[in-house]
PDB file of all heavy atoms in Angstrom:
ATOM      1  N   THR A 191     103.798  95.389 124.598  1.00 98.00           N
ATOM      2  CA  THR A 191     103.446  96.822 124.572  1.00 98.00           C
ATOM      3  C   THR A 191     104.313  97.581 125.507  1.00 98.00           C
ATOM      4  O   THR A 191     104.525  97.127 126.617  1.00 98.00           O
ATOM      5  CB  THR A 191     101.943  96.975 124.979  1.00 98.00           C
ATOM      6  OG1 THR A 191     101.122  96.120 124.169  1.00 98.00           O
ATOM      7  CG2 THR A 191     101.518  98.415 124.808  1.00 98.00           C
ATOM      8  N   VAL A 192     104.807  98.737 125.069  1.00 98.00           N
ATOM      9  CA  VAL A 192     105.676  99.594 125.874  1.00 98.00           C
ATOM     10  C   VAL A 192     104.918 100.767 126.380  1.00 98.00           C
ATOM     11  O   VAL A 192     104.185 101.432 125.625  1.00 98.00           O
ATOM     12  CB  VAL A 192     106.900 100.103 125.053  1.00 98.00           C
ATOM     13  CG1 VAL A 192     107.810 100.994 125.920  1.00 98.00           C
ATOM     14  CG2 VAL A 192     107.667  99.006 124.431  1.00 98.00           C
ATOM     15  N   TYR A 193     105.036 101.032 127.701  1.00 98.00           N
ATOM     16  CA  TYR A 193     104.421 102.181 128.329  1.00 98.00           C
ATOM     17  C   TYR A 193     105.467 103.037 129.008  1.00 98.00           C
ATOM     18  O   TYR A 193     106.531 102.508 129.385  1.00 98.00           O
ATOM     19  CB  TYR A 193     103.410 101.733 129.428  1.00 98.00           C
ATOM     20  CG  TYR A 193     102.304 100.874 128.912  1.00 98.00           C
ATOM     21  CD1 TYR A 193     102.464  99.497 128.779  1.00 98.00           C
ATOM     22  CD2 TYR A 193     101.047 101.448 128.606  1.00 98.00           C
ATOM     23  CE1 TYR A 193     101.393  98.712 128.305  1.00 98.00           C
ATOM     24  CE2 TYR A 193      99.965 100.693 128.188  1.00 98.00           C
ATOM     25  CZ  TYR A 193     100.189  99.271 128.033  1.00 98.00           C
ATOM     26  OH  TYR A 193      99.142  98.501 127.591  1.00 98.00           O
ATOM     27  N   ARG A 194     105.209 104.313 129.174  1.00 97.00           N
ATOM     28  CA  ARG A 194     106.100 105.181 129.939  1.00 97.00           C
ATOM     29  C   ARG A 194     105.282 105.868 131.049  1.00 97.00           C
ATOM     30  O   ARG A 194     104.145 106.347 130.813  1.00 97.00           O
ATOM     31  CB  ARG A 194     106.730 106.231 129.020  1.00 97.00           C
ATOM     32  CG  ARG A 194     107.763 107.083 129.736  1.00 97.00           C
ATOM     33  CD  ARG A 194     108.473 107.962 128.686  1.00 97.00           C
ATOM     34  NE  ARG A 194     109.598 108.660 129.317  1.00 97.00           N
ATOM     35  CZ  ARG A 194     109.505 109.838 129.939  1.00 97.00           C
ATOM     36  NH1 ARG A 194     108.313 110.425 130.060  1.00 97.00           N
ATOM     37  NH2 ARG A 194     110.556 110.371 130.485  1.00 97.00           N
ATOM     38  N   LEU A 195     105.839 105.940 132.248  1.00 97.00           N
ATOM     39  CA  LEU A 195     105.154 106.604 133.336  1.00 97.00           C
ATOM     40  C   LEU A 195     105.283 108.084 133.144  1.00 97.00           C
ATOM     41  O   LEU A 195     106.386 108.659 133.048  1.00 97.00           O
ATOM     42  CB  LEU A 195     105.800 106.165 134.699  1.00 97.00           C
ATOM     43  CG  LEU A 195     104.998 106.547 135.960  1.00 97.00           C
ATOM     44  CD1 LEU A 195     103.681 105.833 135.995  1.00 97.00           C
ATOM     45  CD2 LEU A 195     105.872 106.156 137.164  1.00 97.00           C
ATOM     46  N   ASP A 196     104.126 108.783 133.036  1.00 95.00           N
ATOM     47  CA  ASP A 196     104.187 110.244 132.747  1.00 95.00           C
ATOM     48  C   ASP A 196     104.305 111.069 134.047  1.00 95.00           C
ATOM     49  O   ASP A 196     104.399 110.508 135.138  1.00 95.00           O
ATOM     50  CB  ASP A 196     103.038 110.672 131.881  1.00 95.00           C
ATOM     51  CG  ASP A 196     101.661 110.558 132.573  1.00 95.00           C
ATOM     52  OD1 ASP A 196     101.592 110.465 133.801  1.00 95.00           O
ATOM     53  OD2 ASP A 196     100.640 110.640 131.855  1.00 95.00           O
ATOM     54  N   GLU A 197     104.273 112.358 133.877  1.00 93.00           N
ATOM     55  CA  GLU A 197     104.525 113.260 134.974  1.00 93.00           C
ATOM     56  C   GLU A 197     103.381 113.250 136.034  1.00 93.00           C
ATOM     57  O   GLU A 197     103.584 113.707 137.179  1.00 93.00           O
ATOM     58  CB  GLU A 197     104.743 114.708 134.491  1.00 93.00           C
ATOM     59  CG  GLU A 197     103.616 115.246 133.635  1.00 93.00           C
ATOM     60  CD  GLU A 197     103.652 114.834 132.179  1.00 93.00           C
ATOM     61  OE1 GLU A 197     104.678 114.303 131.736  1.00 93.00           O
ATOM     62  OE2 GLU A 197     102.648 114.990 131.486  1.00 93.00           O
ATOM     63  N   ILE A 198     102.201 112.740 135.708  1.00 95.00           N
ATOM     64  CA  ILE A 198     101.141 112.644 136.690  1.00 95.00           C
ATOM     65  C   ILE A 198     100.989 111.179 137.173  1.00 95.00           C
ATOM     66  O   ILE A 198      99.941 110.811 137.638  1.00 95.00           O
ATOM     67  CB  ILE A 198      99.832 113.223 136.177  1.00 95.00           C
ATOM     68  CG1 ILE A 198      99.360 112.529 134.895  1.00 95.00           C
ATOM     69  CG2 ILE A 198      99.929 114.726 135.947  1.00 95.00           C
ATOM     70  CD1 ILE A 198      97.957 112.922 134.431  1.00 95.00           C
ATOM     71  N   GLN A 199     102.028 110.399 136.974  1.00 96.00           N
ATOM     72  CA  GLN A 199     102.107 109.019 137.471  1.00 96.00           C
ATOM     73  C   GLN A 199     101.054 108.108 136.833  1.00 96.00           C
ATOM     74  O   GLN A 199     100.549 107.211 137.510  1.00 96.00           O
ATOM     75  CB  GLN A 199     102.036 108.995 138.996  1.00 96.00           C
ATOM     76  CG  GLN A 199     103.113 109.781 139.675  1.00 96.00           C
ATOM     77  CD  GLN A 199     104.541 109.278 139.335  1.00 96.00           C
ATOM     78  OE1 GLN A 199     104.888 108.137 139.669  1.00 96.00           O
ATOM     79  NE2 GLN A 199     105.341 110.076 138.678  1.00 96.00           N
ATOM     80  N   GLU A 200     100.807 108.292 135.538  1.00 97.00           N
ATOM     81  CA  GLU A 200      99.953 107.388 134.819  1.00 97.00           C
ATOM     82  C   GLU A 200     100.713 106.785 133.650  1.00 97.00           C
ATOM     83  O   GLU A 200     101.600 107.453 133.074  1.00 97.00           O
ATOM     84  CB  GLU A 200      98.751 108.178 134.288  1.00 97.00           C
ATOM     85  CG  GLU A 200      97.805 108.650 135.400  1.00 97.00           C
ATOM     86  CD  GLU A 200      96.574 109.383 134.841  1.00 97.00           C
ATOM     87  OE1 GLU A 200      96.490 109.520 133.607  1.00 97.00           O
ATOM     88  OE2 GLU A 200      95.727 109.739 135.675  1.00 97.00           O
ATOM     89  N   TRP A 201     100.392 105.526 133.345  1.00 97.00           N
ATOM     90  CA  TRP A 201     101.077 104.865 132.239  1.00 97.00           C
ATOM     91  C   TRP A 201     100.537 105.318 130.904  1.00 97.00           C
ATOM     92  O   TRP A 201      99.312 105.309 130.691  1.00 97.00           O
ATOM     93  CB  TRP A 201     100.870 103.346 132.350  1.00 97.00           C
ATOM     94  CG  TRP A 201     101.593 102.754 133.521  1.00 97.00           C
ATOM     95  CD1 TRP A 201     101.048 102.213 134.643  1.00 97.00           C
ATOM     96  CD2 TRP A 201     103.026 102.628 133.688  1.00 97.00           C
ATOM     97  NE1 TRP A 201     102.042 101.789 135.500  1.00 97.00           N
ATOM     98  CE2 TRP A 201     103.234 102.061 134.935  1.00 97.00           C
ATOM     99  CE3 TRP A 201     104.139 103.002 132.912  1.00 97.00           C
ATOM    100  CZ2 TRP A 201     104.527 101.790 135.440  1.00 97.00           C
ATOM    101  CZ3 TRP A 201     105.395 102.738 133.410  1.00 97.00           C
ATOM    102  CH2 TRP A 201     105.622 102.144 134.649  1.00 97.00           C
ATOM    103  N   LYS A 202     101.441 105.711 130.008  1.00 97.00           N
ATOM    104  CA  LYS A 202     101.054 106.148 128.679  1.00 97.00           C
ATOM    105  C   LYS A 202     101.608 105.132 127.702  1.00 97.00           C
ATOM    106  O   LYS A 202     102.830 104.883 127.646  1.00 97.00           O
ATOM    107  CB  LYS A 202     101.659 107.514 128.384  1.00 97.00           C
ATOM    108  CG  LYS A 202     101.360 108.011 126.991  1.00 97.00           C
ATOM    109  CD  LYS A 202     102.001 109.324 126.698  1.00 97.00           C
ATOM    110  CE  LYS A 202     101.762 109.754 125.299  1.00 97.00           C
ATOM    111  NZ  LYS A 202     102.603 110.868 124.886  1.00 97.00           N
ATOM    112  N   ALA A 203     100.710 104.546 126.902  1.00 97.00           N
ATOM    113  CA  ALA A 203     101.149 103.547 125.877  1.00 97.00           C
ATOM    114  C   ALA A 203     102.002 104.260 124.837  1.00 97.00           C
ATOM    115  O   ALA A 203     101.623 105.330 124.308  1.00 97.00           O
ATOM    116  CB  ALA A 203      99.970 102.895 125.221  1.00 97.00           C
ATOM    117  N   ILE A 204     103.164 103.713 124.565  1.00 96.00           N
ATOM    118  CA  ILE A 204     104.095 104.281 123.585  1.00 96.00           C
ATOM    119  C   ILE A 204     103.916 103.575 122.221  1.00 96.00           C
ATOM    120  O   ILE A 204     103.732 104.198 121.199  1.00 96.00           O
ATOM    121  CB  ILE A 204     105.554 104.173 124.016  1.00 96.00           C
ATOM    122  CG1 ILE A 204     105.749 104.792 125.377  1.00 96.00           C
ATOM    123  CG2 ILE A 204     106.505 104.733 123.000  1.00 96.00           C
ATOM    124  CD1 ILE A 204     105.538 106.314 125.428  1.00 96.00           C
ATOM    125  N   ARG A 205     104.013 102.238 122.234  1.00 94.00           N
ATOM    126  CA  ARG A 205     103.868 101.485 121.002  1.00 94.00           C
ATOM    127  C   ARG A 205     103.783 100.000 121.253  1.00 94.00           C
ATOM    128  O   ARG A 205     104.359  99.515 122.196  1.00 94.00           O
ATOM    129  CB  ARG A 205     104.992 101.800 120.090  1.00 94.00           C
ATOM    130  CG  ARG A 205     106.255 100.994 120.236  1.00 94.00           C
ATOM    131  CD  ARG A 205     107.084 100.883 118.990  1.00 94.00           C
ATOM    132  NE  ARG A 205     107.084 102.087 118.193  1.00 94.00           N
ATOM    133  CZ  ARG A 205     108.065 102.936 118.097  1.00 94.00           C
ATOM    134  NH1 ARG A 205     109.201 102.728 118.656  1.00 94.00           N
ATOM    135  NH2 ARG A 205     107.937 104.024 117.364  1.00 94.00           N
ATOM    136  N   PRO A 206     103.076  99.295 120.386  1.00 97.00           N
ATOM    137  CA  PRO A 206     103.111  97.823 120.462  1.00 97.00           C
ATOM    138  C   PRO A 206     104.220  97.297 119.611  1.00 97.00           C
ATOM    139  O   PRO A 206     104.705  97.964 118.694  1.00 97.00           O
ATOM    140  CB  PRO A 206     101.751  97.437 119.841  1.00 97.00           C
ATOM    141  CG  PRO A 206     101.464  98.550 118.862  1.00 97.00           C
ATOM    142  CD  PRO A 206     102.086  99.770 119.443  1.00 97.00           C
ATOM    143  N   GLY A 207     104.627  96.110 119.887  1.00 97.00           N
ATOM    144  CA  GLY A 207     105.667  95.408 119.135  1.00 97.00           C
ATOM    145  C   GLY A 207     105.369  93.914 119.161  1.00 97.00           C
ATOM    146  O   GLY A 207     104.422  93.482 119.820  1.00 97.00           O
ATOM    147  N   GLN A 208     106.199  93.106 118.482  1.00 98.00           N
ATOM    148  CA  GLN A 208     106.036  91.690 118.500  1.00 98.00           C
ATOM    149  C   GLN A 208     107.389  91.032 118.289  1.00 98.00           C
ATOM    150  O   GLN A 208     108.183  91.521 117.473  1.00 98.00           O
ATOM    151  CB  GLN A 208     105.084  91.298 117.380  1.00 98.00           C
ATOM    152  CG  GLN A 208     104.765  89.804 117.378  1.00 98.00           C
ATOM    153  CD  GLN A 208     103.621  89.503 116.400  1.00 98.00           C
ATOM    154  OE1 GLN A 208     102.570  90.145 116.476  1.00 98.00           O
ATOM    155  NE2 GLN A 208     103.826  88.526 115.556  1.00 98.00           N
ATOM    156  N   THR A 209     107.643  89.971 119.056  1.00 98.00           N
ATOM    157  CA  THR A 209     108.908  89.311 118.923  1.00 98.00           C
ATOM    158  C   THR A 209     108.987  88.592 117.543  1.00 98.00           C
ATOM    159  O   THR A 209     107.994  88.105 117.024  1.00 98.00           O
ATOM    160  CB  THR A 209     109.147  88.223 120.016  1.00 98.00           C
ATOM    161  OG1 THR A 209     108.043  87.292 120.024  1.00 98.00           O
ATOM    162  CG2 THR A 209     109.178  88.914 121.395  1.00 98.00           C
ATOM    163  N   ASN A 210     110.180  88.589 117.014  1.00 98.00           N
ATOM    164  CA  ASN A 210     110.409  87.934 115.725  1.00 98.00           C
ATOM    165  C   ASN A 210     110.692  86.455 115.871  1.00 98.00           C
ATOM    166  O   ASN A 210     110.567  85.922 116.975  1.00 98.00           O
ATOM    167  CB  ASN A 210     111.562  88.672 114.963  1.00 98.00           C
ATOM    168  CG  ASN A 210     112.910  88.573 115.669  1.00 98.00           C
ATOM    169  OD1 ASN A 210     113.105  87.729 116.558  1.00 98.00           O
ATOM    170  ND2 ASN A 210     113.837  89.407 115.242  1.00 98.00           N
ATOM    171  N   ALA A 211     111.076  85.764 114.853  1.00 98.00           N
ATOM    172  CA  ALA A 211     111.327  84.322 114.888  1.00 98.00           C
ATOM    173  C   ALA A 211     112.457  83.949 115.890  1.00 98.00           C
ATOM    174  O   ALA A 211     112.446  82.859 116.417  1.00 98.00           O
ATOM    175  CB  ALA A 211     111.692  83.801 113.486  1.00 98.00           C
ATOM    176  N   ASP A 212     113.330  84.885 116.174  1.00 98.00           N
ATOM    177  CA  ASP A 212     114.413  84.652 117.115  1.00 98.00           C
ATOM    178  C   ASP A 212     114.018  85.108 118.537  1.00 98.00           C
ATOM    179  O   ASP A 212     114.830  85.142 119.420  1.00 98.00           O
ATOM    180  CB  ASP A 212     115.678  85.427 116.641  1.00 98.00           C
ATOM    181  CG  ASP A 212     116.933  84.994 117.354  1.00 98.00           C
ATOM    182  OD1 ASP A 212     117.012  83.811 117.740  1.00 98.00           O
ATOM    183  OD2 ASP A 212     117.801  85.845 117.536  1.00 98.00           O
ATOM    184  N   GLY A 213     112.754  85.522 118.743  1.00 98.00           N
ATOM    185  CA  GLY A 213     112.281  85.965 120.019  1.00 98.00           C
ATOM    186  C   GLY A 213     112.705  87.410 120.454  1.00 98.00           C
ATOM    187  O   GLY A 213     112.542  87.774 121.536  1.00 98.00           O
ATOM    188  N   ARG A 214     113.236  88.154 119.438  1.00 98.00           N
ATOM    189  CA  ARG A 214     113.732  89.497 119.718  1.00 98.00           C
ATOM    190  C   ARG A 214     112.770  90.558 119.200  1.00 98.00           C
ATOM    191  O   ARG A 214     112.046  90.315 118.237  1.00 98.00           O
ATOM    192  CB  ARG A 214     115.111  89.672 119.066  1.00 98.00           C
ATOM    193  CG  ARG A 214     116.115  88.761 119.648  1.00 98.00           C
ATOM    194  CD  ARG A 214     117.489  88.907 118.886  1.00 98.00           C
ATOM    195  NE  ARG A 214     118.448  87.963 119.424  1.00 98.00           N
ATOM    196  CZ  ARG A 214     119.232  88.133 120.483  1.00 98.00           C
ATOM    197  NH1 ARG A 214     119.161  89.273 121.165  1.00 98.00           N
ATOM    198  NH2 ARG A 214     120.056  87.205 120.870  1.00 98.00           N
TER     199      ARG A 214
END
């Protein structure tokens, strides 16, 4: 899961992902 620190110093979830068969 990717998060970005916003302007009020809180983590905002951007999007989930999953590694493929090659781990990427």
